[in-house]
Amino acid sequence: MTMKTYYAGQDVDAPCGRCGGETRHQVLTVTNGVPDRLICGNCRSVHKFRAAKPEPLPRVPRIPSAAKAGGPRPGSLVSQFQEALAREQGGAQARPYAVAERWEEGAWMDHPSFGLGRVQRRMGRKVDVLFRDGLKTLVSA
C-alpha cells in the first residue's frame, strides 16, 4: 500500500470544524510527507490536518446469554420456578392479582405483567412472589 505524499501549497479536501463540512483546503505545512497545518478556502481558518475516518466495521448481532445456555441453569430462579410449578401447583387455581386481596404464602397468582407466580413469603403488607422472571415484591392487603 503506497502512502500519498503531500507538499505545501497543495489543495486537499478535508473536514473543517468552523464551516461544518468537508471543504477545499490548502496545505500550509508538511511534516514527514503528511500535512500538519491547513487553511480553509471558505472561512480562512487555520487548523490541524485530520485524515478521513475509516469506515466502521459492520456490527455483529449479539446473542442473548439465555440463548447461549440452552435453557435455565440448575439452581437459577427460572429453574426453581419451573420445579415449583410442576411440583406444587398440582391442579391449584391461580387467582388474578389485586392489591386489595390478602395473599398468603403458597398461593398462586396470575399477574397482568409478570404472569403466573407463587407467593414465597409474607412481610406485613408486602409479599415476595416467585415469577418466571425472578422474585418480585408486591403489595398485599
Side-chain angles (χ1 to χ4, degrees):
M1 181 162 89
T2 60
M3 192 169 154
K4 187 173 180 183
T5 58
Y6 296 90
Y7 57 89
Q10 181 180 3
D11 287 335
V12 294
D13 289 329
C16 180
R18 182 182 263 177
C19 292
E22 190 165 310
T23 58
R24 179 65 63 169
H25 288 73
Q26 190 174 34
V27 178
L28 290 178
T29 60
V30 177
T31 305
N32 297 329
V34 178
D36 189 36
R37 307 288 291 164
L38 304 175
I39 184 167
C40 179
N42 290 340
C43 66
R44 307 306 290 170
S45 66
V46 177
H47 56 82
K48 288 183 178 182
F49 173 73
R50 292 184 267 314
K53 293 182 181 177
E55 288 292 321
L57 297 174
R59 294 189 66 180
V60 177
R62 290 184 51 189
I63 299 171
S65 59
K68 291 180 191 174
R73 295 183 190 136
S76 70
L77 288 177
V78 175
S79 175
Q80 289 176 11
F81 175 79
Q82 290 171 343
E83 290 170 13
L85 179 65
R87 183 177 60 245
E88 297 179 19
Q89 190 177 15
Q93 294 294 320
R95 299 181 313 215
Y97 172 72
V99 175
E101 190 165 343
R102 183 174 172 87
W103 294 95
E104 297 297 331
E105 291 181 14
W108 287 89
M109 73 169 60
D110 187 14
H111 192 277
S113 298
F114 305 125
L116 187 63
R118 182 176 176 273
V119 177
Q120 299 293 309
R121 180 173 59 156
R122 180 169 179 79
M123 308 158 295
R125 291 191 40 115
K126 296 181 181 178
V127 289
D128 282 341
V129 184
L130 181 62
F131 293 102
R132 181 174 287 118
D133 294 336
L135 199 63
K136 307 284 184 189
T137 301
L138 303 175
V139 177
S140 172

